[in-house]
mmCIF file of all heavy atoms in Angstrom:
data_model
loop_
_atom_site.group_PDB
_atom_site.id
_atom_site.type_symbol
_atom_site.label_atom_id
_atom_site.label_comp_id
_atom_site.label_asym_id
_atom_site.label_seq_id
_atom_site.Cartn_x
_atom_site.Cartn_y
_atom_site.Cartn_z
ATOM 1 N N VAL A 79 102.487 153.337 47.233
ATOM 2 C CA VAL A 79 103.796 152.754 47.537
ATOM 3 C C VAL A 79 104.562 152.427 46.258
ATOM 4 O O VAL A 79 105.754 152.736 46.117
ATOM 5 C CB VAL A 79 103.622 151.497 48.415
ATOM 6 C CG1 VAL A 79 104.957 150.769 48.574
ATOM 7 C CG2 VAL A 79 103.064 151.878 49.777
ATOM 8 N N LEU A 80 103.892 151.829 45.287
ATOM 9 C CA LEU A 80 104.572 151.461 44.041
ATOM 10 C C LEU A 80 104.946 152.692 43.223
ATOM 11 O O LEU A 80 105.961 152.693 42.518
ATOM 12 C CB LEU A 80 103.684 150.529 43.220
ATOM 13 C CG LEU A 80 103.482 149.128 43.808
ATOM 14 C CD1 LEU A 80 102.540 148.318 42.938
ATOM 15 C CD2 LEU A 80 104.814 148.404 43.974
ATOM 16 N N ARG A 81 104.162 153.732 43.323
ATOM 17 C CA ARG A 81 104.503 154.956 42.586
ATOM 18 C C ARG A 81 105.747 155.597 43.176
ATOM 19 O O ARG A 81 106.604 156.108 42.438
ATOM 20 C CB ARG A 81 103.328 155.933 42.619
ATOM 21 C CG ARG A 81 103.562 157.168 41.750
ATOM 22 C CD ARG A 81 102.371 158.090 41.754
ATOM 23 N NE ARG A 81 102.124 158.629 43.086
ATOM 24 C CZ ARG A 81 101.138 159.512 43.356
ATOM 25 N NH1 ARG A 81 100.322 159.908 42.372
ATOM 26 N NH2 ARG A 81 100.966 159.946 44.577
ATOM 27 N N ARG A 82 105.855 155.588 44.505
ATOM 28 C CA ARG A 82 107.054 156.147 45.114
ATOM 29 C C ARG A 82 108.277 155.307 44.788
ATOM 30 O O ARG A 82 109.395 155.841 44.682
ATOM 31 C CB ARG A 82 106.869 156.251 46.627
ATOM 32 C CG ARG A 82 105.888 157.337 47.044
ATOM 33 C CD ARG A 82 105.911 157.543 48.550
ATOM 34 N NE ARG A 82 105.043 158.636 48.941
ATOM 35 C CZ ARG A 82 104.896 159.072 50.211
ATOM 36 N NH1 ARG A 82 105.613 158.483 51.184
ATOM 37 N NH2 ARG A 82 104.094 160.076 50.493
ATOM 38 N N LEU A 83 108.074 154.014 44.658
ATOM 39 C CA LEU A 83 109.184 153.141 44.285
ATOM 40 C C LEU A 83 109.418 153.110 42.781
ATOM 41 O O LEU A 83 110.363 152.451 42.321
ATOM 42 C CB LEU A 83 108.915 151.711 44.793
ATOM 43 C CG LEU A 83 108.834 151.529 46.314
ATOM 44 C CD1 LEU A 83 108.463 150.092 46.643
ATOM 45 C CD2 LEU A 83 110.146 151.918 46.980
ATOM 46 N N ARG A 84 108.560 153.809 42.059
ATOM 47 C CA ARG A 84 108.626 153.828 40.600
ATOM 48 C C ARG A 84 108.557 152.410 40.008
ATOM 49 O O ARG A 84 109.247 152.059 39.071
ATOM 50 C CB ARG A 84 109.898 154.532 40.119
ATOM 51 C CG ARG A 84 109.979 155.987 40.551
ATOM 52 C CD ARG A 84 111.243 156.641 40.054
ATOM 53 N NE ARG A 84 111.312 158.041 40.483
ATOM 54 C CZ ARG A 84 112.328 158.857 40.179
ATOM 55 N NH1 ARG A 84 113.357 158.403 39.453
ATOM 56 N NH2 ARG A 84 112.313 160.109 40.608
ATOM 57 N N ARG A 85 107.646 151.615 40.614
ATOM 58 C CA ARG A 85 107.458 150.243 40.139
ATOM 59 C C ARG A 85 105.968 149.968 39.962
ATOM 60 O O ARG A 85 105.460 148.913 40.350
ATOM 61 C CB ARG A 85 108.043 149.255 41.150
ATOM 62 C CG ARG A 85 109.511 149.476 41.464
ATOM 63 C CD ARG A 85 110.394 149.188 40.265
ATOM 64 N NE ARG A 85 110.302 147.810 39.843
ATOM 65 C CZ ARG A 85 111.064 146.842 40.328
ATOM 66 N NH1 ARG A 85 111.975 147.115 41.256
ATOM 67 N NH2 ARG A 85 110.941 145.615 39.888
ATOM 68 N N ARG A 86 105.228 150.906 39.353
ATOM 69 C CA ARG A 86 103.787 150.725 39.191
ATOM 70 C C ARG A 86 103.441 149.531 38.314
ATOM 71 O O ARG A 86 102.334 149.017 38.355
ATOM 72 C CB ARG A 86 103.173 151.999 38.624
ATOM 73 C CG ARG A 86 103.056 153.126 39.634
ATOM 74 C CD ARG A 86 102.347 154.322 39.056
ATOM 75 N NE ARG A 86 103.144 154.954 37.991
ATOM 76 C CZ ARG A 86 102.753 156.034 37.324
ATOM 77 N NH1 ARG A 86 101.584 156.592 37.592
ATOM 78 N NH2 ARG A 86 103.531 156.555 36.384
ATOM 79 N N GLY A 87 104.387 149.066 37.530
ATOM 80 C CA GLY A 87 104.130 147.901 36.701
ATOM 81 C C GLY A 87 103.940 146.618 37.503
ATOM 82 O O GLY A 87 103.463 145.605 36.965
ATOM 83 N N LEU A 88 104.287 146.675 38.772
ATOM 84 C CA LEU A 88 104.127 145.481 39.607
ATOM 85 C C LEU A 88 102.715 145.338 40.187
ATOM 86 O O LEU A 88 102.462 144.429 40.980
ATOM 87 C CB LEU A 88 105.136 145.516 40.760
ATOM 88 C CG LEU A 88 106.608 145.381 40.373
ATOM 89 C CD1 LEU A 88 107.484 145.463 41.614
ATOM 90 C CD2 LEU A 88 106.848 144.048 39.655
ATOM 91 N N LEU A 89 101.797 146.233 39.805
ATOM 92 C CA LEU A 89 100.423 146.124 40.303
ATOM 93 C C LEU A 89 99.786 144.788 39.930
ATOM 94 O O LEU A 89 98.964 144.251 40.684
ATOM 95 C CB LEU A 89 99.570 147.280 39.762
ATOM 96 C CG LEU A 89 99.716 148.628 40.479
ATOM 97 C CD1 LEU A 89 98.931 149.704 39.737
ATOM 98 C CD2 LEU A 89 99.220 148.505 41.919
ATOM 99 N N TRP A 90 100.154 144.266 38.766
ATOM 100 C CA TRP A 90 99.589 142.983 38.350
ATOM 101 C C TRP A 90 99.993 141.851 39.288
ATOM 102 O O TRP A 90 99.311 140.825 39.389
ATOM 103 C CB TRP A 90 100.047 142.636 36.932
ATOM 104 C CG TRP A 90 101.537 142.358 36.834
ATOM 105 C CD1 TRP A 90 102.540 143.254 36.622
ATOM 106 C CD2 TRP A 90 102.164 141.085 36.992
ATOM 107 N NE1 TRP A 90 103.767 142.650 36.626
ATOM 108 C CE2 TRP A 90 103.571 141.299 36.843
ATOM 109 C CE3 TRP A 90 101.709 139.797 37.216
ATOM 110 C CZ2 TRP A 90 104.494 140.266 36.932
ATOM 111 C CZ3 TRP A 90 102.635 138.772 37.308
ATOM 112 C CH2 TRP A 90 104.011 139.004 37.159
ATOM 113 N N LEU A 91 101.071 142.052 40.051
ATOM 114 C CA LEU A 91 101.537 141.035 40.989
ATOM 115 C C LEU A 91 101.094 141.321 42.419
ATOM 116 O O LEU A 91 100.708 140.404 43.157
ATOM 117 C CB LEU A 91 103.060 140.933 40.935
ATOM 118 C CG LEU A 91 103.725 139.927 41.881
ATOM 119 C CD1 LEU A 91 103.251 138.518 41.548
ATOM 120 C CD2 LEU A 91 105.237 140.029 41.789
ATOM 121 N N THR A 92 101.135 142.586 42.811
ATOM 122 C CA THR A 92 100.815 142.925 44.200
ATOM 123 C C THR A 92 99.335 142.720 44.519
ATOM 124 O O THR A 92 98.989 142.349 45.645
ATOM 125 C CB THR A 92 101.207 144.377 44.497
ATOM 126 O OG1 THR A 92 100.521 145.260 43.580
ATOM 127 C CG2 THR A 92 102.710 144.574 44.350
ATOM 128 N N ILE A 93 98.464 142.973 43.538
ATOM 129 C CA ILE A 93 97.030 142.836 43.822
ATOM 130 C C ILE A 93 96.638 141.385 44.099
ATOM 131 O O ILE A 93 95.998 141.095 45.123
ATOM 132 C CB ILE A 93 96.198 143.445 42.678
ATOM 133 C CG1 ILE A 93 96.365 144.975 42.688
ATOM 134 C CG2 ILE A 93 94.732 143.060 42.820
ATOM 135 C CD1 ILE A 93 95.588 145.684 41.601
ATOM 136 N N PRO A 94 96.980 140.404 43.238
ATOM 137 C CA PRO A 94 96.602 139.023 43.574
ATOM 138 C C PRO A 94 97.314 138.493 44.814
ATOM 139 O O PRO A 94 96.717 137.765 45.615
ATOM 140 C CB PRO A 94 96.989 138.230 42.322
ATOM 141 C CG PRO A 94 97.953 139.086 41.596
ATOM 142 C CD PRO A 94 97.582 140.489 41.899
ATOM 143 N N VAL A 95 98.606 138.857 44.987
ATOM 144 C CA VAL A 95 99.309 138.410 46.190
ATOM 145 C C VAL A 95 98.674 139.022 47.439
ATOM 146 O O VAL A 95 98.477 138.345 48.460
ATOM 147 C CB VAL A 95 100.806 138.766 46.100
ATOM 148 C CG1 VAL A 95 101.505 138.503 47.436
ATOM 149 C CG2 VAL A 95 101.476 137.966 44.993
ATOM 150 N N GLY A 96 98.338 140.299 47.355
ATOM 151 C CA GLY A 96 97.682 140.939 48.486
ATOM 152 C C GLY A 96 96.320 140.334 48.790
ATOM 153 O O GLY A 96 95.934 140.207 49.962
ATOM 154 N N ALA A 97 95.565 139.947 47.738
ATOM 155 C CA ALA A 97 94.266 139.321 47.955
ATOM 156 C C ALA A 97 94.406 138.000 48.693
ATOM 157 O O ALA A 97 93.623 137.682 49.598
ATOM 158 C CB ALA A 97 93.556 139.115 46.618
ATOM 159 N N VAL A 98 95.420 137.213 48.313
ATOM 160 C CA VAL A 98 95.658 135.937 49.002
ATOM 161 C C VAL A 98 96.035 136.171 50.464
ATOM 162 O O VAL A 98 95.548 135.489 51.370
ATOM 163 C CB VAL A 98 96.754 135.133 48.273
ATOM 164 C CG1 VAL A 98 97.142 133.905 49.089
ATOM 165 C CG2 VAL A 98 96.279 134.724 46.891
ATOM 166 N N LEU A 99 96.885 137.162 50.710
ATOM 167 C CA LEU A 99 97.279 137.458 52.084
ATOM 168 C C LEU A 99 96.100 137.956 52.912
ATOM 169 O O LEU A 99 95.963 137.601 54.086
ATOM 170 C CB LEU A 99 98.406 138.502 52.089
ATOM 171 C CG LEU A 99 99.744 138.055 51.475
ATOM 172 C CD1 LEU A 99 100.732 139.220 51.478
ATOM 173 C CD2 LEU A 99 100.308 136.870 52.238
ATOM 174 N N CYS A 100 95.262 138.779 52.308
ATOM 175 C CA CYS A 100 94.091 139.290 53.029
ATOM 176 C C CYS A 100 93.120 138.157 53.360
ATOM 177 O O CYS A 100 92.522 138.127 54.440
ATOM 178 C CB CYS A 100 93.395 140.366 52.209
ATOM 179 S SG CYS A 100 94.349 141.889 52.029
ATOM 180 N N THR A 101 92.941 137.227 52.421
ATOM 181 C CA THR A 101 92.062 136.091 52.690
ATOM 182 C C THR A 101 92.616 135.251 53.841
ATOM 183 O O THR A 101 91.867 134.829 54.740
ATOM 184 C CB THR A 101 91.920 135.224 51.436
ATOM 185 O OG1 THR A 101 91.412 136.024 50.365
ATOM 186 C CG2 THR A 101 90.980 134.053 51.682
ATOM 187 N N GLY A 102 93.924 134.997 53.820
ATOM 188 C CA GLY A 102 94.530 134.257 54.921
ATOM 189 C C GLY A 102 94.405 134.989 56.243
ATOM 190 O O GLY A 102 94.188 134.366 57.291
#
Side-chain angles (χ1 to χ4, degrees):
V79 172
L80 291 178
R81 186 178 64 178
R82 289 189 176 182
L83 296 176
R84 299 180 180 180
R85 303 293 298 272
R86 285 184 293 181
L88 293 179
L89 280 174
W90 67 272
L91 179 62
T92 58
I93 291 180
V95 171
V98 172
L99 294 177
C100 292
T101 302

